[in-house]
């Protein structure tokens, strides 16, 4: 294990976060855009790329398939050269570290007629099936099997457009089926599709590449297959989850943060919830400002697919409720394992009772510092914020989880006045 993997955050509680932050491109968009470049040979430039560990890992996967990848962290750009002759096997070593690798499935089977992508296995936030992905590809005429830990999809004669209805508006399944349908013969109608802004970004990227897609952002996406695509340049949309994290951070610490480069229209419900908690949310020239001048009031939250409350912001809603005035119910409808984070908050003195996918929280004035462990990206960031409203010094183990989604998290917190360091 490298030293960085063993790093932890040391947080001295008590400071309000005040100042400015800038939002870079969305992790959930850029990783998928990188996978979609596999659809056509040539040179791509992706802009607004966050400096996070997951981009490096996705780059490694693309290199293993034969691409050249250059990540310029100063310019926030990734240049990708996709070869004419491309590998079709995404190995377990990449997929186990980065679930977004599964987004190579649709592009590879559509372009090469064969894809072998390792099954990602378990995840700290709960079981994350792939049955909708494979069922959709089968509707498009592929054969899929599960052999030796890999999903094998083959369509030697190409894919054919079809009507595909998802049981649940899964983001990943919508992405894989939509990308595969772009190079299929004829029309695909994808019903009960996901509507997440990141998915719309992927769709717009494909349209720039020459795809014929209608209905992005609605539950019915229509794709008329085209015979080929061409490489393009594209800037990823701002990260709505990182934006939401800073917005909650301001509210939790009774701070005042101007979030530049943010797109508030992607976060209407979470921002409304913060207003209900007592925050003042205003639009500024290039983003939003969130200010909280008193102890937050409790807010009930129920996670749902977009435009519902994002599951990725649920740990911050629980942290806010843990120190809020009143009691609240937080319901997790997307990932059952996300409440693992609650056990760590209990170590910080929070009053939370979990019953199935409901957490009932009674707010207390202050949390009490302790060593805790991050289980995933958002849980890690949530625990760091909890440490800011705990008395004394909190240690959050597993800083590498946070690196996967937040560029320079500790530096940004210090710039906002927090006493947070990263220690080996
Ligand atoms: C999910 C989030 C997305 C978030 C991302 C990163 C939702 C709906 N999706 O996307 O907003 O940005 O995590 O954290 O909130 N499922 C199956 N079979 C499948 C596919 C999914 O049962 O084939 C289930 C999953 O187990 C889960 C739900 O559907 O309970 C949503 O999964 P999905 O949207 O596919 O997850 P991600 O694409 O990872």
């Amino acid at each position: 294990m490298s030293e960085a993997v063993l790093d932890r955050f040391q947080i001295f509680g008590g400071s309000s976060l005040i100042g400015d932050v800038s939002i870079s491109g969305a992790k959930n968009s850029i990783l998928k855009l990188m996978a979609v470049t596999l659809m056509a040979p040539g040179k791509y430039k992706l802009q607004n790329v966050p400096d996070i560990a997951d981009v490096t890992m996705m780059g490694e996967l693309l290199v293993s398939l034969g691409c050249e990848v250059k990540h310029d962290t100063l310019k926030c750009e990734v240049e990708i050269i996709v070869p004419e002759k491309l590998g079709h096997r995404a190995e377990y070593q990449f997929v186990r570290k980065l679930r977004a690798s599964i987004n190579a499935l649709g592009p590879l089977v559509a372009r090469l007629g064969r894809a072998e992508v390792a099954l990602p296995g378990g995840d700290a936030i709960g079981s994350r099936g792939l049955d909708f992905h494979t069922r959709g590809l089968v509707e498009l005429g592929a054969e899929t099997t599960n052999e030796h830990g890999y999903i094998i999809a083959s369509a030697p004669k190409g894919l054919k457009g079809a009507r595909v209805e998802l049981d649940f508006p899964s983001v990943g399944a919508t992405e894989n089926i939509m990308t595969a349908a772009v190079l299929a013969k004829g029309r695909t109608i994808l019903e009960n599709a996901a509507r997440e802004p990141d998915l719309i970004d992927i769709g717009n990227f494909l349209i720039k590449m020459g795809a014929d897609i209608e209905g992005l952002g609605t539950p019915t996406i229509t794709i008329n297959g085209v015979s080929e695509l061409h490489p393009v340049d594209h800037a990823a949309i701002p990260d709505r989850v990182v934006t939401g994290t800073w917005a909650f951070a301001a509210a939790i610490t009774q701070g005042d943060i101007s979030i530049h480069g943010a797109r508030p229209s992607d976060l209407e419900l979470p921002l409304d919830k913060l207003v209900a908690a007592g925050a003042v949310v205003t639009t500024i020239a290039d983003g939003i400002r969130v200010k909280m001048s008193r102890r937050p009031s409790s807010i009930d939250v129920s996670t749902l697919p977009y435009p519902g409350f994002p599951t990725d912001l649920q740990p911050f809603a629980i942290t806010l409720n843990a120190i809020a005035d009143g009691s609240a119910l937080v319901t997790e409808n997307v990932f059952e394992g996300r409440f693992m984070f609650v056990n760590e908050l209990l170590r910080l003195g929070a009053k939370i009772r979990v019953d199935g996918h409901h957490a009932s929280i009674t707010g207390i004035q202050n949390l009490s510092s302790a060593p805790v462990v991050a289980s995933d990206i958002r849980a890690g960031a949530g625990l760091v914020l909890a440490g800011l409203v705990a008395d004394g010094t909190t240690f959050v183990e597993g800083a590498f989880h946070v690196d996967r989604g937040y560029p320079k998290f500790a530096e940004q917190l210090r710039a906002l006045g927090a006493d947070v360091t990263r220690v080996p």
Side-chain angles (χ1 to χ4, degrees), residues 28 32 99 125 127-133 168-173 175 196 198 240-241 304-306 311-312 333-336 338 378:
N28 289 330
K32 281 73 179 287
R99 203 191 142 85
I125 60 176
S127 90
R128 300 173 84 174
L130 292 173
D131 46 329
F132 307 155
H133 302 236
F168 183 90
S170 149
V171 178
E175 285 161 350
E196 265 71 358
D198 330 274
R240 69 195 161 99
V241 181
L304 281 173
Y306 189 87
T311 175
D312 281 338
N333 293 307
V334 183
F335 291 119
E336 79 275 10
R338 271 235 141 108
R378 312 301 165 190

Side-chain angles (χ1 to χ4, degrees), residues 152 210 226 230 252 309 314 398:
I152 301 183
V226 296
H230 53 83
I252 291 167
F309 191 94
Q314 179 256 91

Side-chain angles (χ1 to χ4, degrees), residues 133-158:
H133 302 236
T134 48
R135 225 182 292 152
L137 293 177
V138 168
E139 301 276 2
L140 298 181
E143 277 184 22
T144 65
T145 53
N146 179 343
E147 286 172 31
H148 308 295
Y150 283 75
I151 293 183
I152 301 183
S154 84
K157 294 190 185 134

Side-chain angles (χ1 to χ4, degrees), residues 60-98:
E60 286 168 6
L61 169 66
L62 294 188
V63 168
S64 78
L65 295 169
C67 303
E68 281 177 46
V69 179
K70 272 190 239 151
H71 185 180
D72 185 331
T73 51
L74 286 179
K75 285 192 186 157
C76 303
E77 280 178 8
V78 169
E79 191 182 277
I80 301 166
I81 301 177
V82 179
E84 291 286 345
K85 202 169 173 323
L86 193 66
H88 62 251
R89 187 173 163 92
E91 299 284 354
Y92 182 49
Q93 66 184 100
F94 303 109
V95 183
R96 67 186 292 193
K97 284 195 276 185
L98 180 66

